[in-house]
Amino acid sequence: MTKCRMLLQENQELGKQLSQGKVAQLEAEIALQKKYSQELKAAQDELSEYVFQVDEEAEGLHTSILGCSSDLTLANKLTTKLTAGRTNGPVDGSSTGIQGTTKSSTSSNEMTH
């Protein structure tokens, strides 16, 4: 009977050790998962910051492109008007939309009065 009690006690101790070993193993796995989770969070934060910076750059470039497009459209219109003015006769500034004064018309008006 004593031998049975000793074997029973030994079984209980082995069961505790085995249980404690599993708990320790699970705790180690949890610690590794937490560390991995923290690394992923840091990487996500870094990527979010990078995306924010790229988005700001894209907005700036978009604004620059719109400005250049507007300048190009204006230059094309002016070129078209100047080209049309040359083929239709001398350019006096009226075909380009540029306001100018002509001395000859002013002089002739002053002479007649």
Side-chain angles (χ1 to χ4, degrees):
M1 193 63 145
T2 308
K3 189 166 184 166
C4 284
R5 285 186 191 145
M6 285 178 40
L7 288 174
L8 183 63
Q9 186 178 0
E10 188 178 336
N11 273 345
Q12 288 175 348
E13 287 178 22
L14 287 173
K16 285 180 185 179
Q17 288 177 359
L18 214 129
S19 177
Q20 289 173 352
K22 285 183 181 179
V23 169
Q25 181 182 5
L26 290 174
E27 286 175 345
E29 286 181 28
I30 288 172
L32 286 174
Q33 289 295 327
K34 282 183 179 179
K35 182 179 177 185
Y36 181 66
S37 176
Q38 289 171 347
E39 289 173 358
L40 285 177
K41 175 76 170 119
Q44 181 185 12
D45 291 344
E46 186 178 322
L47 285 174
S48 292
E49 178 64 27
Y50 178 73
V51 167
F52 179 76
Q53 289 174 356
V54 168
D55 189 47
E56 283 184 338
E57 280 185 38
E59 285 180 26
L61 291 172
H62 180 71
T63 301
S64 295
I65 289 170
L66 287 177
C68 290
S69 176
S70 176
D71 291 347
L72 182 61
T73 301
L74 182 63
N76 284 337
K77 286 180 182 178
L78 183 59
T79 301
T80 302
K81 287 182 180 182
L82 287 174
T83 303
R86 286 188 181 162
T87 57
N88 294 335
V91 178
D92 65 354
S94 61
S95 64
T96 62
I98 301 172
Q99 298 295 324
T101 59
T102 54
K103 291 184 179 181
S104 60
S105 63
T106 306
S107 299
S108 63
N109 283 340
E110 289 175 357
M111 290 182 181
T112 57
H113 292 290

